[in-house]
Amino acid sequence: MLQETNAQGKVCLKGNDSNISYVGRTEIQGDGAVSFDWTGTYLRTKLSGGELSIRLSDTGINYYNVFVDGLLHKVVKVFGKDTLINFVSGIDKGFHRILIQKRTEGEWGQTTIHQFVLPQGGQLKREMNIPLRHIEFIGNSLTCGFGTEGKDRSEPYKAETENCNLSYAAIISRYFNADYTFIAHSGRGVVRNYGDSVRVSAVTMKDRMLNTFDINLEKKWNFKAYKPDLVVINLGSNDFSTDLYPLEEEFIHAYKLLISRLRTYYGNVPILCISPSIAQRQIIGYMELLRQDLNDPQVYLFVFPEGLYNNTTDLGAVWHPNYKGQMKMAMSLVPYISTIMNWPLKDLFTK
């Protein structure tokens, strides 16, 4: 741990300090700063001294969940260039577990962490009690937690109401005590993005999943950085969102390309493909043909049942599921993931 002391006597640590662990796709800059933009990217550490501020820059405006000892401490708004923002305050000076999670998606900006700033005598320690499992989710607005904190389905979308921590993906990860990476962007599909004027969009999730950053399409991710135990793909609803539907061969070709890329980088990991509701039968037919063509026993298909959540109390902003709706999605997937991975279900009946 290389630390400096500023003019106010505060302890200053670089963004890539060895006592900070990041989960998700990040890039370390030459000066030790750490940059990222994918939704759900998070860091963990242990803090003493009772206070933590972060000197950072953001290309837009993002929101972060701050957890202390597993409980939500505050939501922090991040913006500006080279700005010092307080993330933790008002706790005792003993060691506490800290987790800071980007809750908004890359479209809202890229964050760069320059320094962690602690009070005099404060310390960071590496968190050693970490999950042994890792799930990667490739998805769209449902994985991003788009509008989960909206109060009504007619409410317009705002960044403040997006919270990936309330998405089905985060709920599933917590249930199985797994780390997670979200490679997700609202409105994106496999072959066609939401409302596009062409059947085959120029850049879809099959392309973005190769990148270090969601928005920067030039920098490619080093897939040797981590290997998930399971990949969950939840795409397809945006491909068929408006009347100009992709053709069967276009959809299947793009989806097969996405899976072949995962096979290239992750080997024979289980891949769970989620199809939208059974009401969208055209997509389900395409997905079944895809699985037959692949003839890969490690590729699985799950279809959300029709009417899984209701159209009023389970919806947040812009007709997207709120936390209750997301919870129902997660709980419908948990048993199947348990079967695929041989991960035990929680015993809810033993005293």
Side-chain angles (χ1 to χ4, degrees):
M1 178 174 68
L2 297 175
Q3 67 180 52
E4 303 173 356
T5 303
N6 66 15
Q8 292 75 40
K10 302 278 189 178
V11 176
C12 301
L13 306 170
K14 290 185 177 181
N16 69 335
D17 187 87
S18 60
N19 287 297
I20 306 287
S21 57
Y22 292 86
V23 181
R25 297 186 180 182
T26 62
E27 180 181 75
I28 301 175
Q29 310 301 330
D31 62 355
V34 179
S35 301
F36 51 88
D37 73 346
W38 287 107
T39 185
T41 304
Y42 56 100
L43 64 88
R44 58 163 67 96
T45 189
K46 296 178 76 174
L47 166 73
S48 73
E51 187 175 332
L52 175 65
S53 296
I54 301 178
R55 189 169 68 83
L56 52 76
S57 300
D58 202 287
T59 60
I61 298 175
N62 277 287
Y63 290 84
Y64 281 78
N65 291 318
V66 182
F67 298 92
V68 176
D69 296 328
L71 300 176
L72 183 65
H73 177 66
K74 66 168 71 170
V75 175
V76 175
K77 183 179 181 180
V78 167
F79 59 95
K81 183 178 181 180
D82 200 6
T83 306
L84 185 66
I85 300 176
N86 178 265
F87 278 72
V88 178
S89 59
I91 63 173
D92 67 66
K93 294 185 178 181
F95 275 101
H96 295 272
R97 292 179 292 111
I98 306 297
L99 190 147
I100 299 175
Q101 172 202 52
K102 188 175 188 288
R103 58 183 266 161
T104 38
E105 54 191 292
E107 185 175 355
W108 290 100
Q110 175 181 306
T111 303
T112 298
I113 294 179
H114 303 292
Q115 285 184 327
F116 295 90
V117 181
L118 290 71
Q120 190 172 18
Q123 295 182 54
L124 295 182
K125 280 186 181 179
R126 192 171 185 87
E127 173 63 80
M128 304 306 293
N129 183 22
I130 61 175
L132 300 178
R133 300 166 179 159
H134 192 143
I135 308 173
E136 181 169 276
F137 294 84
I138 300 175
N140 50 36
S141 57
L142 295 174
T143 305
C144 292
F146 181 104
T148 50
E149 293 187 355
K151 303 302 182 185
D152 185 85
R153 65 189 185 185
S154 62
E155 181 180 313
Y157 168 78
K158 296 181 293 185
E160 297 94 313
T161 64
E162 182 171 65
N163 186 356
C164 69
N165 197 57
L166 302 183
S167 75
Y168 75 94
I171 297 167
I172 287 170
S173 300
R174 286 193 293 272
Y175 182 93
F176 287 114
N177 189 28
D179 272 332
Y180 54 82
T181 304
F182 298 162
I183 307 302
H185 190 122
S186 294
R188 298 303 186 263
V190 180
V191 64
R192 180 173 181 262
N193 299 325
Y194 179 83
D196 207 339
S197 59
V198 293
R199 288 200 317 271
V200 179
S201 296
V203 179
T204 65
M205 286 309 298
K206 76 177 189 309
D207 309 302
R208 288 182 182 272
M209 56 86 67
L210 298 172
N211 300 328
T212 300
F213 300 102
D214 180 8
I215 299 303
N216 185 335
L217 305 181
E218 301 302 318
K219 296 186 176 182
K220 300 306 175 186
W221 175 242
N222 174 15
F223 281 85
K224 295 180 180 179
Y226 67 84
K227 180 180 177 181
D229 300 289
L230 169 69
V231 177
V232 178
I233 306 172
N234 188 0
L235 295 169
S237 55
N238 288 311
D239 297 80
F240 296 88
S241 57
T242 51
D243 292 338
L244 194 61
Y245 295 166
L247 301 177
E248 175 185 303
E249 59 268 26
E250 292 168 338
F251 183 81
I252 292 176
H253 171 75
Y255 213 125
K256 286 173 71 174
L257 180 57
L258 192 162
I259 291 177
S260 71
R261 288 171 173 171
L262 292 173
R263 285 281 173 257
T264 296
Y265 295 115
Y266 293 149
N268 196 35
V269 300
I271 299 173
L272 173 58
C273 304
I274 300 174
S275 176
S277 166
I278 196 169
Q280 296 177 276
R281 298 185 184 279
Q282 185 175 20
I283 306 176
I284 298 167
Y286 290 177
M287 298 285 281
E288 289 287 2
L289 288 172
L290 165 73
R291 190 166 61 165
Q292 292 173 23
D293 284 355
L294 288 170
N295 192 29
D296 185 336
Q298 287 286 75
V299 173
Y300 302 87
L301 176 61
F302 182 90
V303 181
F304 281 124
E306 188 173 1
L308 177 62
Y309 47 81
N310 63 52
N311 287 331
T312 52
T313 59
D314 290 347
L315 293 180
V318 200
W319 287 74
H320 279 67
N322 58 21
Y323 181 54
K324 290 196 294 183
Q326 291 273 5
M327 179 74 80
K328 290 178 181 180
M329 293 168 59
M331 291 301 100
S332 68
L333 280 161
V334 159
Y336 194 37
I337 291 175
S338 174
T339 299
I340 292 170
M341 302 303 298
N342 197 28
W343 292 344
L345 295 173
K346 294 180 180 178
D347 188 346
L348 302 179
F349 300 100
T350 301
K351 292 184 180 179

